[in-house]
Amino acid sequence: MRAIWLREFGGPEVLVPGPAPDPVPGPGQVLIDVAHANITFIETQLRAGRPGPFRVTPPLIPGNGVGGVITAVGSDVDPALTGRRVVSATGGSGGYAERAAVDAAAPIAVPAGLALDAAVALLADGRTATMLIEAVGVRPGDRVLVEAAAGGVGSLLVQLAARAGAQVIGVAGGARKVGLLPGLGADLAADYRLPGWADQVRGAVGGVDVVFDGIGGPIARTAFELLDPGGRMVSFGLASGEWSPVTAEAATARQVTVIRPDVPPARLRAYTEQALADAAAGRLRPLIGQRFPLEHAADAHAAIEARATVGKTLLDVA
């Protein structure tokens, strides 16, 4: 089968197309014919050899999320699963390929009427956004600031917060990204690359009640300073290359709650299922900003690292 190999850590160019043995589902496994592979920012960090949630040792096929059709099952797995459209985590590797063998309990059925590419775009980001909205407890009338609002998670947070009745302030970098935000449901859109963006926000809404921090670094600090007493802040990304510098002491001094969700794996699956159901019902729309053929995985990683992407980036495999 066709696959992408990571044989050494480094820049995007170390992702090289090449043949790989066809995986065979063992006991307790199913085989997925992959139509689309999910790419996350974390995977770009792992490729570069930086710390992450998975320990990876080259050579390997990277990729932790796929969508496709189950075409074979292990000897002890219900054969009725064959033919089912699913999205699935892979356990940390093996996703950038035409086929992936995964634990039979891992796949999640894609609801009727929802396209596979949309489902893959929601596999990780939809779960995260749904979890964060619940963890923060967004309420009608809340003034909610979403950083990296044109990204995969951020674009979903804007929609979910608006649906909850919040006044949404979307913050993104560059005119192209800022221009997308009103169409997602943002009441105000600001460009954090421009000086005075925080003054623009304060002038329009005063302070804010909630900050979803997807950038970290100085932008997270500035957003934190927009929070009124009683506000809540949660970090979900580090697009700047560093996590939020806000300390527990600083939060206490400003009477702000910094939320750090701790969610059991079973609940994470439920969040993914909820995001898929919302999308199938037309209540949530993943923003697929760009897609690359499998063989161009290196280009996809380069685009993400150059911050030239909007929404979700997918690899089209089939």
Side-chain angles (χ1 to χ4, degrees):
M1 67 175 181
R2 295 178 298 127
I4 298 297
W5 285 97
L6 172 67
R7 292 189 169 88
E8 60 180 330
F9 295 123
E13 70 280 356
V14 301
L15 296 176
V16 179
D22 283 316
V24 176
Q29 290 187 318
V30 299
L31 182 69
I32 299 173
D33 268 15
V34 178
H36 310 280
N38 175 34
I39 302 180
T40 65
F41 178 75
I42 288 173
E43 288 171 6
T44 69
Q45 303 298 289
L46 292 174
R47 184 217 70 235
R50 300 187 181 98
F54 306 108
R55 291 178 178 269
V56 298
T57 303
L60 78 154
I61 299 169
N64 187 45
V66 299
V69 176
I70 295 176
T71 55
V73 300
S75 58
D76 58 347
V77 177
D78 184 357
L81 293 176
T82 303
R84 183 171 297 181
R85 296 190 317 145
V86 296
V87 291
S88 182
T90 64
S93 63
Y96 296 2
E98 288 187 289
R99 298 171 194 87
V102 303
D103 189 281
I108 299 172
V110 175
L114 183 61
L116 263 174
D117 58 353
V120 176
L122 290 165
L123 174 59
D125 292 352
R127 173 188 67 208
T128 300
T130 303
M131 173 192 68
L132 292 174
I133 288 285
E134 181 178 291
V136 168
V138 174
R139 301 182 288 261
D142 274 344
R143 297 158 297 173
V144 174
L145 187 150
V146 180
E147 301 170 16
V153 176
S155 61
L156 299 174
L157 285 170
V158 169
Q159 296 176 59
L160 291 171
R163 197 176 90 199
Q167 183 178 13
V168 183
I169 303 99
V171 178
R176 175 190 174 215
K177 295 180 180 181
V178 171
L180 294 170
L181 303 184
L184 297 171
D187 300 286
L188 175 69
D191 187 343
Y192 68 78
R193 294 182 180 177
L194 299 180
W197 71 266
D199 294 333
Q200 176 189 354
V201 173
R202 193 172 291 283
V205 301
V208 300
D209 303 296
V210 174
V211 168
F212 289 105
D213 164 42
I215 298 177
I219 301 301
R221 165 62 69 177
T222 301
F224 168 73
E225 292 170 354
L226 286 167
L227 283 163
D228 279 344
R232 295 98 76 199
M233 181 172 183
V234 62
S235 293
F236 66 90
L238 65 165
S240 67
E242 57 182 293
W243 287 106
S244 165
V246 175
T247 64
E249 293 76 14
T252 299
R254 290 185 58 84
Q255 301 176 55
V256 166
T257 301
V258 175
I259 297 169
R260 295 179 173 85
D262 184 14
V263 183
R267 188 64 187 142
L268 288 175
R269 183 183 181 91
Y271 286 130
T272 300
E273 293 171 339
Q274 181 62 57
L276 294 176
D278 282 346
R283 296 188 296 265
L284 190 62
R285 177 174 59 88
L287 174 61
I288 301 175
Q290 47 286 311
R291 49 210 312 160
F292 294 81
L294 174 65
E295 286 78 8
H296 291 188
D299 295 334
H301 274 232
I304 292 171
E305 291 186 329
R307 302 176 73 172
T309 60
V310 296
K312 193 66 196 173
T313 302
L314 296 182
L315 289 180
D316 290 333
V317 180

